[in-house]
Amino acid sequence: MKNTFGESVCVTLFGESHGNAIGAILDGMAPGIRVDANFIAHQMQLRRSVSSLSTARKEIDEVEILSGIRDGITTGTPIAFMIRNQDTHSKDYEALETVARPGHADYTAYCKYHGFSDTRGGGHFSGRITAGLVAAGAVAITALSEIGIHIGTHIAKCAGICDRNFEDYQKDITALSEMPFAVLDTNKAEKMRAEIESAKADGDSVGGILETVVIGLPAGVGEPWFDTLESVLAHGMFSVPAVKGVEFGKGFAFSDMRGSEANDAYASNGEAVFTTTNHNGGILGGISNGMPILFRTAIKPTPSIYKKQNTVDFVKKENTELVIHGRHDPAIVHRARVVVDSMTALILCDMLALRYGTDFLKNGGNTK
Amino acid sequence: MKNTFGESVCVTLFGESHGNAIGAILDGMAPGIRVDANFIAHQMQLRRSVSSLSTARKEIDEVEILSGIRDGITTGTPIAFMIRNQDTHSKDYEALETVARPGHADYTAYCKYHGFSDTRGGGHFSGRITAGLVAAGAVAITALSEIGIHIGTHIAKCAGICDRNFEDYQKDITALSEMPFAVLDTNKAEKMRAEIESAKADGDSVGGILETVVIGLPAGVGEPWFDTLESVLAHGMFSVPAVKGVEFGKGFAFSDMRGSEANDAYASNGEAVFTTTNHNGGILGGISNGMPILFRTAIKPTPSIYKKQNTVDFVKKENTELVIHGRHDPAIVHRARVVVDSMTALILCDMLALRYGTDFLKNGGNTK
Amino acid sequence: MKNTFGESVCVTLFGESHGNAIGAILDGMAPGIRVDANFIAHQMQLRRSVSSLSTARKEIDEVEILSGIRDGITTGTPIAFMIRNQDTHSKDYEALETVARPGHADYTAYCKYHGFSDTRGGGHFSGRITAGLVAAGAVAITALSEIGIHIGTHIAKCAGICDRNFEDYQKDITALSEMPFAVLDTNKAEKMRAEIESAKADGDSVGGILETVVIGLPAGVGEPWFDTLESVLAHGMFSVPAVKGVEFGKGFAFSDMRGSEANDAYASNGEAVFTTTNHNGGILGGISNGMPILFRTAIKPTPSIYKKQNTVDFVKKENTELVIHGRHDPAIVHRARVVVDSMTALILCDMLALRYGTDFLKNGGNTK
Amino acid sequence: MKNTFGESVCVTLFGESHGNAIGAILDGMAPGIRVDANFIAHQMQLRRSVSSLSTARKEIDEVEILSGIRDGITTGTPIAFMIRNQDTHSKDYEALETVARPGHADYTAYCKYHGFSDTRGGGHFSGRITAGLVAAGAVAITALSEIGIHIGTHIAKCAGICDRNFEDYQKDITALSEMPFAVLDTNKAEKMRAEIESAKADGDSVGGILETVVIGLPAGVGEPWFDTLESVLAHGMFSVPAVKGVEFGKGFAFSDMRGSEANDAYASNGEAVFTTTNHNGGILGGISNGMPILFRTAIKPTPSIYKKQNTVDFVKKENTELVIHGRHDPAIVHRARVVVDSMTALILCDMLALRYGTDFLKNGGNTK
């Protein structure tokens, strides 16, 4: 299976940036989930442009639901989302077809598809394909929310500027859900945006780190081998374009810690079991322990920059220089945020359905 | 599928630390691959103890091949590896059964398996289960090696001490393949070992970072969505016990870079296409570009420490203190190395077989 | 995975009979395959009505390709097919929503989806959903044809009338490919049609048996356990609505044979190895032996009949009588034919890609 | 995935007839299921010889459980079963290595594995490999039985002799569970055995038909597309050696029926919904309807016969004659019975776990 992910709840993506349409099939979602078209539109909007920071391409990104939802409620059968492509300036790309844009998939796509892939606008590799994922993810986020599982992601770092840490998860998640530029400390947000503008002025781009928290996930989700909760989440995150690193809890910082610092002590109030720290990000032995799930994803700088770059024509095998035209974001970290949330929600729906059955999301999240 | 990983070449793990036997089934490996029992034994040895640094448990770890290999050559049908458990001091664990060891899977296993899992010695969550993975991986490493694909992993960091970077990949890989404590700079190795001994003396433990390189992988391997090369490798790595982070190329350091620094310029000598830097770790758009694959995995400190820890009895929901006895490693990063190599080799065999057919590994790696 | 089938080449179906649209995603098809829109339309037409025999619903069944094909050639990325629903007389179904039509999925859908599924016109269970399968199958049939693999299915039996057996496979396949009512002996076709008309006049329906042959499939395709060629073909066939039996070669007739009759003797002309009979339908040990693949599928009579039937309101749990209105086929065996061909082609593309790599279909079918 | 079947509860088979050992891994089974070693031994015995009718090979078939069961109760982690091979007369097979036995997999295995597969005694294609499946199936049968789901299979036809139909399912299932030669009418059993003896005396063999019933399966299990209950059961059945046909309910006989005869009328007693006939074998739209599941599998005659047969040396491509020596069954239909039961039980455990969660089998089968 290539463009399909998940075992019980799964999503299939299709489309190319400059083709007729893009979209997604969400299959296995429990029947009886109320779907709010406004929330889907809200999420689609978060994925899109933020004033001057983002791509000038004006997509309406209107999501048409072709199947699987009747009178605003999931039927239990596949939900097909379609988004027509519009406002495609394919001519901007035609010259590029055999000249590799550094940092992009042009050359690797050529090696894989032998020159048949639709390369215009990144084709099937375009970040635009995430629109289908976000539409499907909106349903998953809604379904999880109904059973008390909430997801929030902020820009922990961008262009070298760090946001504050999470403080009150529930409150922070609620605040983030409305922010087009998801930074908890507004002063830091201003600084990040200034850095992005500065990079843009230089014809350059910046990267960043997203930090995600999930609250409300019951203990006991994940498998000991291969389908650990970390494995499946990382699998999903690394298929989000530009993600180059994933860490859970202290992640790479564990390498400077001793076991006595790294271990999370357990405690109980007589009813619940919890840990007094959460260095392991809510996952032990690949399985959720009931604490908040915490992970961070590294986003590389947008590869499309306006500076002249050395590259090759990979058909002629000739060295050449390239100046990229067209519309490109100087940063994508703020847009990737909602994609990370969506991917996370889809994965958790899948793992919960595998664990507790296909009706779990409909049945109020009863784990008994 | 739970304890099985891979689509065309896949591995299934079974066993508990103190049960009758552990092992692995390697399925889908091409027929006609010569398997060297000595090389399997060599890899098993690397996974085991390093003098005073590692667990005192004396396992012979003799691998019996039950099927799938005839006269030292793969038949193409499932290869079953079995390793008997011996020298198990189960009594060391009995007291622990309902007291959660911090940093371990005891509590999450209880939540998942309702108290029925075999918790002695970590049971199915024990690092010991990786022995089967290493046996299967030895076949995969051999098969890849025959077609010019080589894998090497060193301890890039341990207890705060950094190794030197890779210099000559082929030479470094060859050197690492013989080292029980895989550090490229022997001075740094001494310092790391001293730090590990120091932590041990304190009843404590340390973590580290492994860095892996793969050379010889053809361009064009990986999928654009969901089964990106990064996704599948990360999926595998995060199922190795104690791994809490995975990054490719510059990984998290991308967050401080600009696009003009991060992009790898292409060049050609008229025949091959290559990049003049390799910040992306040989993967673009989720697909190999023919450059060396580079990734790093963060290993948390061994959770089994001898210091007194606060924890709970999760059945009684009572707070308590715990002092762990038994035999435990003050570091596992050097032992995890061969597990990372094995997992990598198994994944690459799978992805190559999916791309080029089930006989690819036998046919000399012809990608045409 | 629910509505997705295949491992390397796979198809995902979506849609309900009276929803906005139905369709399919075909993923993993090799790049560089020429796709003829006329052939797709031809196959869609075969799936539709035959004069007075079939449903009066006038669907144009215009297939829009949303992605994956550029300038008439596959790109290697997912091919999305969408067919808008039109001319839906949903009111014919409204009364039925809680009254089970005997032989249909109404009640089982209710048990599975708790009353949320879109039941109008059979919803996601409708034979109409096969239109997406046929569109995807047309690409698969084309791809196989290019490498010399051809598929043909005839109505071996309908309403008790038997067609003649295959005589010249290649010639018969060619003839069948143009027939809306695929019967090799035209006299028998007339008799079958008369029986169907007779059943229709009685407000009743008839069933039948389809027989399929595949020529040109190389020896060595299939797995010994679980993914035998028979297993995967049967899996696909039994998901075609109304199929209730599948047999390979002599199938159920083997129960009256002795081994000395049942075994197919081998012979060789010094170059090829073949069998002098083909009682095993080209499959031994689950693997193709190079002979024609032969299988038969039993199709039950259309459950929608106009006679009064005893049934229940499954919500009220009350006995009731039902008279079905609306437009229904007195036979579907002739329409199921192209669905069986399509499913077969999709499965063979998948198994060949798994065996010989994802570019096999593009590379002229070289099995070396 | 090749030798692995199932999604949530799955089984992996390994081994060759004359290798060191054969076995199975059963993964995903709920924790807390009591496993009776005597019942496993009983099922193993049923799979083995019946007096003079069956193979003279004297295997003790002692099943060693390597993992996944502690104190007779499933732990929830993989259960590994190993059965040592003994009493192998490999010399009987050596001459055969390049001479294809008609009806066997020798030639197809050669095409697939290029001569590297272990062909002795059929190797990985041997019916002996089903021993692992039967061991795993014994656990599945036990687990289902605890929640009121029972499976029974009888020899509906053998050598042209038909058994009586099922009359009282529960009673018949109980009786069959103890019978080495599972025929409901003892007179018919005698006649079948006489026919088998007669074929044996002729150096020949016979085939048959098995009929299986499952009672107690809740309504709502199965998927509309691709993983219909029929699809998954047929997939499993066709991987049992020698199965060449599968039909559900009336199966192929539907081709002579009209819709008014074929449809099962619904009725209700105010509480339950049921059908007054069961021509559809308990499955509509691919989903169980709460009625008994009924299906039949066609078993071809044992291909190993003692009569001289025409065949080829497939390496030399020379015509030759073959007389098979060694120990072979004149019929396998009575031995295949327990394999069919086991496969059915494993599939139902999987589909129930997918539908209702991984703890369903432990939780008393609560479908709410």
Side-chain angles (χ1 to χ4, degrees), chain B residues 1-4 6-8 10 12-16 20-21 25 27-28 31-32 64-68 70 73-78 80 82 84 97 113-114 116-120 124 359 362, chain D residues 1-4 6-8 10 12-16 20-21 25 27-28 31-32 64-68 70 73-78 80 82 84 97 113-114 116-120 124 359 362:
Chain B
M1 226 78 57
K2 294 169 171 67
N3 294 275
T4 298
E7 293 185 51
S8 182
C10 59
T12 299
L13 295 182
F14 66 87
E16 290 102 16
N20 286 340
I25 314 295
D27 192 13
E64 184 183 1
I65 293 173
L66 302 177
S67 68
R70 188 183 179 189
I73 295 175
T74 59
T75 61
T77 55
M82 181 182 66
R84 291 275 177 196
E97 295 237 352
Y113 300 114
H114 311 291
F116 292 103
S117 67
D118 182 350
T119 55
R120 297 168 298 166
H124 188 56
D359 290 344
K362 170 184 158 283
Chain D
M1 226 77 60
K2 294 168 171 68
N3 294 274
T4 298
E7 293 183 53
S8 183
C10 58
T12 299
L13 295 182
F14 67 87
E16 290 102 18
N20 286 339
I25 314 295
D27 192 13
E64 185 184 0
I65 292 173
L66 302 177
S67 67
R70 189 181 179 190
I73 295 175
T74 59
T75 61
T77 56
M82 181 182 66
R84 292 274 177 195
E97 295 237 355
Y113 301 114
H114 311 291
F116 291 104
S117 66
D118 182 350
T119 56
R120 296 169 298 164
H124 187 57
D359 290 345
K362 169 184 158 283

Side-chain angles (χ1 to χ4, degrees), chain C residues 154-298:
Chain C
H154 71 121
I155 305 171
K157 193 176 187 185
C158 179
I161 315 293
C162 293
D163 191 18
R164 73 158 165 85
N165 290 331
F166 282 113
E167 286 166 5
D168 177 328
Y169 289 127
Q170 180 65 73
K171 210 168 142 188
D172 286 346
I173 289 171
T174 303
L176 290 168
S177 70
E178 297 297 328
M179 291 182 194
F181 193 81
V183 178
L184 295 167
D185 180 332
T186 50
N187 288 329
K188 297 301 178 62
E190 284 315 299
K191 285 183 186 166
M192 290 180 194
R193 296 175 77 131
E195 284 296 321
I196 296 172
E197 292 293 349
S198 164
K200 186 183 178 186
D202 295 346
D204 215 330
S205 66
V206 300
I209 296 174
L210 293 169
E211 183 176 48
T212 301
V213 67
V214 181
I215 57 174
L217 187 71
V221 176
E223 298 295 332
W225 290 98
F226 302 127
D227 283 356
T228 73
L229 188 48
E230 290 135 326
S231 287
V232 183
L233 285 168
H235 192 137
M237 293 313 129
F238 275 116
S239 79
V240 176
V243 169
K244 297 297 281 190
V246 174
E247 61 181 1
F248 292 84
K250 289 290 168 192
F252 281 90
F254 273 124
S255 62
D256 292 326
M257 295 169 79
R258 283 196 163 189
S260 55
E261 301 165 281
N263 284 348
D264 298 306
Y266 283 100
S268 176
N269 53 15
E271 291 195 9
V273 170
F274 50 91
T275 60
T276 54
T277 52
N278 190 15
H279 301 322
N280 283 281
I283 306 174
L284 286 169
I287 298 174
S288 60
N289 67 2
M291 299 297 291
I293 305 299
L294 278 165
F295 63 91
R296 290 152 52 99
T297 44

Side-chain angles (χ1 to χ4, degrees), chain C residues 75-90:
Chain C
T75 61
T77 54
I79 307 171
F81 304 90
M82 181 182 67
I83 304 158
R84 292 276 178 194
N85 286 322
Q86 299 169 352
D87 184 28
T88 55
H89 293 200
S90 298

Side-chain angles (χ1 to χ4, degrees), chain A residues 17-328:
Chain A
S17 184
H18 291 218
N20 287 338
I22 62 165
I25 314 295
L26 173 59
D27 193 12
M29 182 56 64
I33 308 282
R34 191 165 295 278
V35 175
D36 180 352
N38 290 332
F39 181 63
I40 296 178
H42 171 74
Q43 294 294 95
M44 297 304 287
Q45 180 59 33
L46 288 184
R47 201 200 69 86
R48 290 183 58 229
S49 53
V50 177
S51 69
S52 61
L53 291 181
S54 287
T55 175
R57 181 170 172 183
K58 287 188 175 38
E59 291 284 356
I60 299 178
D61 279 352
E62 196 175 335
V63 180
E64 185 184 359
I65 292 173
L66 303 177
S67 68
I69 293 180
R70 189 182 177 188
D71 301 334
I73 295 176
T74 59
T75 61
T77 55
I79 308 172
F81 304 91
M82 181 181 67
I83 304 158
R84 292 276 176 194
N85 286 322
Q86 299 170 351
D87 184 28
T88 55
H89 293 199
S90 297
K91 278 174 195 159
D92 288 345
Y93 295 92
E94 275 178 17
L96 292 176
E97 296 237 354
T98 64
V99 175
R101 290 170 300 158
H104 273 290
D106 307 329
Y107 173 63
T108 56
Y110 174 77
C111 294
K112 182 173 177 64
Y113 300 114
H114 312 289
F116 292 103
S117 66
D118 182 349
T119 56
R120 296 169 298 165
H124 188 56
F125 292 80
S126 167
R128 176 154 175 73
I129 308 308
T130 59
L133 202 62
V134 169
V139 177
I141 288 168
T142 301
L144 291 172
S145 172
E146 292 287 320
I147 60 170
I149 299 175
H150 303 281
I151 302 166
T153 297
H154 72 120
I155 305 171
K157 194 177 187 184
C158 179
I161 316 293
C162 292
D163 191 16
R164 73 158 165 85
N165 291 330
F166 281 114
E167 285 165 7
D168 177 327
Y169 289 128
Q170 181 65 72
K171 209 167 141 187
D172 286 346
I173 289 171
T174 303
L176 290 169
S177 70
E178 295 298 327
M179 291 183 193
F181 194 81
V183 178
L184 295 167
D185 179 332
T186 52
N187 288 330
K188 296 301 178 62
E190 283 316 299
K191 285 184 185 164
M192 289 181 195
R193 295 175 79 129
E195 283 298 320
I196 296 172
E197 291 293 349
S198 164
K200 186 183 179 185
D202 295 347
D204 215 331
S205 66
V206 300
I209 295 174
L210 293 170
E211 183 176 47
T212 301
V213 67
V214 181
I215 57 172
L217 188 70
V221 176
E223 297 295 332
W225 292 98
F226 303 127
D227 284 356
T228 73
L229 188 48
E230 290 135 326
S231 288
V232 183
L233 284 168
H235 192 136
M237 292 313 129
F238 275 117
S239 79
V240 176
V243 170
K244 297 297 280 192
V246 174
E247 61 180 1
F248 291 84
K250 289 289 170 193
F252 281 89
F254 273 124
S255 62
D256 292 327
M257 295 169 80
R258 282 197 166 190
S260 55
E261 302 165 281
N263 284 348
D264 298 305
Y266 283 100
S268 176
N269 54 11
E271 291 195 9
V273 169
F274 50 90
T275 60
T276 54
T277 53
N278 189 15
H279 301 322
N280 284 282
I283 307 174
L284 286 170
I287 298 173
S288 60
N289 67 1
M291 299 296 292
I293 305 299
L294 279 165
F295 63 90
R296 290 152 51 99
T297 45
I299 312 282
K300 74 176 185 179
T302 325
S304 287
I305 56 174
Y306 297 100
K307 295 193 167 188
K308 187 185 289 185
Q309 297 181 85
N310 290 320
T311 188
V312 298
D313 180 309
F314 48 73
V315 172
K316 298 183 186 159
K317 315 253 163 150
E318 284 178 5
N319 292 306
T320 183
E321 289 180 340
L322 174 71
V323 177
I324 292 177
H325 299 288
R327 307 154 300 186
H328 307 290

